[in-house]
Amino acid sequence: MKRSNYQIAKALLISGLIFSTYIGTIQAAQPSYKLTDLGALTTTGSSAAVDINNHGQIVGYSWAAGQQTSATIWDKGQISLLGGHALMSSATAINDSGVVVGYNETSSGQNAVVWTNGQASILDSNTATALDINSHGVIAGATYNSGPTIWINGTMEQLPIINSYYFSVARGINNLGQVVGSYELTTADWQIYTRAALWSNGNGIDIGAADGFSSSYAEKINDAGDIVGQSHNGFNGGAHATLWRNGVAIDLGSLNDGTEASFAMDINSHGQIVGYSQSGLFSPENNARAVIWFADLNPVMLDTLIDPLDPLYGQVSLYTAKGINDLGQIVGYGLINGKERAFLLSPLATVPEPGSMAMLLAGLGLFGIASRRNKQA
């Protein structure tokens, strides 16, 4: 008996729905990661990675026992010392053109620094720091006498002062020129709070804190305008990673169902957020655990997502995740084989669960049957 066009169309529709469900399952699944120990400038030294661009170039700092940190770049698997003589230096961000920003300390004070092709240039020597750079080369940071600052083509511009330039910092900048950070708010009764801030279109505004928290600060902003950072209640209060989306401050929770402190450090264009969670606001670093938040905004410990077949599986304790690029690659630092080292986590292809694969095969089977009967009709 020949099938009607209606029956064939119905079979194709069902198989299409099954297939789309399967694709959605893959997209929603948590990836597993390959872990790379990025090494240090010396074989017995330590290191930390803080940012990664979309070409896989990584920056941070490295140090040997008893020595100060040195700004470091990892490029194509090679680790190098960034140029410029200083007592101490650190790289804080890198854009897709490979331009690096950070700061160094010399006998005369702290300087905001930009490294181009590995060569250092001083942006500002007035107790300044450079913390982020966008794809257009605009740099965000702060100076002691001017507070939140951007540098455009090497020229400093002070951002609008919200309350006072003291303790005001610009920490992140996106490709639209929007800047985030924090400022100090002093109330009429002399209560002092740190508050998250957004500078956009020539204006600076307080973007608030998550419910239950009085203070906040912002770390990074993506091109969609999503902002990440932290809400807290001062030195002795609780603290939670926070996402600001569409004007709403969202509490991202922590690994221990609200009893731990958590910090969101970076967000990519897909809304994936990385940071860390620890037992308290000032608990030791070795109590911290690197965390990722996917689309459901639930924290997941990154240690648990390392591929079980990875040679380093079970031999690490990842303390904090500092940066994530649009490919989903994550950098930070932790304990690897007993050494404090910078790490790179690279997502592996998601393997569908058996049930999802069965659904796909069933759908394709229906599609094949319908196609054959259509030809016989």
Side-chain angles (χ1 to χ4, degrees):
M1 180 179 176
K2 294 181 180 180
R3 300 189 76 183
S4 68
N5 289 335
Y6 169 78
Q7 290 173 313
I8 293 171
K10 184 178 178 180
L12 290 174
L13 176 60
I14 292 172
S15 63
L17 290 172
I18 293 173
F19 185 75
S20 64
T21 300
Y22 164 77
I23 293 298
T25 301
I26 288 181
Q27 291 173 341
Q30 296 173 355
S32 60
Y33 293 86
K34 170 182 169 55
L35 175 65
T36 302
D37 178 349
L38 292 174
L41 289 170
T42 62
T43 55
T44 58
S46 302
S47 58
V50 299
D51 196 25
I52 180 171
N53 66 14
N54 290 320
H55 301 297
Q57 295 173 301
I58 301 164
V59 294
Y61 50 93
S62 180
W63 70 97
Q67 296 183 7
Q68 298 280 10
T69 63
S70 297
T72 303
I73 185 169
W74 291 264
D75 190 10
K76 297 180 175 65
Q78 300 297 314
I79 181 173
S80 303
L81 177 68
L82 286 165
H85 299 288
L87 300 174
M88 183 275 287
S89 60
S90 178
T92 56
I94 182 170
N95 68 8
D96 286 344
S97 297
V99 181
V100 182
V101 296
Y103 58 92
N104 68 20
E105 290 185 8
T106 66
S107 57
S108 59
Q110 181 173 298
N111 310 305
V113 180
V114 58
W115 287 271
T116 306
N117 298 322
Q119 300 301 308
S121 299
I122 303 299
L123 283 169
D124 197 295
S125 58
N126 187 24
T127 312
T129 183
L131 294 174
D132 201 10
I133 181 170
N134 68 14
S135 62
H136 307 296
V138 182
I139 300 165
T143 65
Y144 178 73
N145 284 334
S146 299
T149 301
I150 60 172
W151 288 268
I152 302 175
N153 297 323
T155 300
M156 186 191 82
E157 293 186 12
Q158 184 185 40
L159 294 171
I161 299 300
I162 301 176
N163 185 53
S164 168
Y165 66 80
Y166 289 110
F167 306 107
S168 294
V169 179
R171 291 189 179 89
I173 184 169
N174 66 12
N175 292 322
L176 304 178
Q178 295 173 304
V179 178
V180 295
S182 61
Y183 76 101
E184 188 177 87
L185 172 65
T186 304
T187 64
D189 58 353
W190 294 102
Q191 295 294 314
I192 298 175
Y193 302 96
T194 300
R195 301 284 291 186
L198 166 67
W199 289 271
S200 181
N201 298 319
N203 298 308
I205 60 170
D206 183 322
I207 59 173
D211 288 346
F213 297 96
S214 59
S215 296
S216 57
Y217 62 84
E219 288 281 355
K220 291 292 186 289
I221 180 171
N222 65 13
D223 289 347
D226 291 334
I227 302 166
V228 294
Q230 188 197 59
S231 297
H232 61 94
N233 284 319
F235 291 110
N236 298 317
H240 273 183
T242 302
L243 166 67
W244 288 265
R245 176 172 285 166
N246 299 323
V248 178
I250 302 169
D251 186 339
L252 294 176
S254 63
L255 286 176
N256 196 23
D257 194 24
T259 61
E260 294 190 347
S262 58
F263 307 77
M265 303 303 297
D266 198 13
I267 182 170
N268 66 11
S269 64
H270 306 295
Q272 295 173 319
I273 302 165
V274 295
Y276 61 101
S277 183
Q278 61 188 32
S279 57
L281 193 59
F282 299 105
S283 65
E285 185 177 67
N286 58 12
N287 284 337
R289 293 295 177 264
V291 171
I292 186 167
W293 289 265
F294 294 107
D296 61 5
L297 301 183
N298 290 316
V300 180
M301 188 189 304
L302 279 168
D303 285 21
T304 65
L305 299 181
I306 299 171
D307 181 9
L309 299 179
D310 193 296
L312 292 173
Y313 180 78
Q315 302 178 50
V316 302
S317 179
L318 304 182
Y319 294 157
T320 181
K322 288 281 194 177
I324 183 169
N325 65 12
D326 291 340
L327 302 177
Q329 295 174 300
I330 302 166
V331 295
Y333 59 92
L335 198 67
I336 303 177
N337 283 329
K339 298 178 181 178
E340 288 188 351
R341 287 289 175 81
F343 68 78
L344 167 66
L345 287 173
S346 301
L348 301 172
T350 303
V351 178
E353 298 178 0
S356 298
M357 181 59 75
M359 289 176 65
L360 174 65
L361 293 176
L364 293 178
L366 284 172
F367 180 83
I369 292 170
S371 297
R372 286 195 300 272
R373 291 186 175 180
N374 188 33
K375 289 179 181 178
Q376 295 170 358

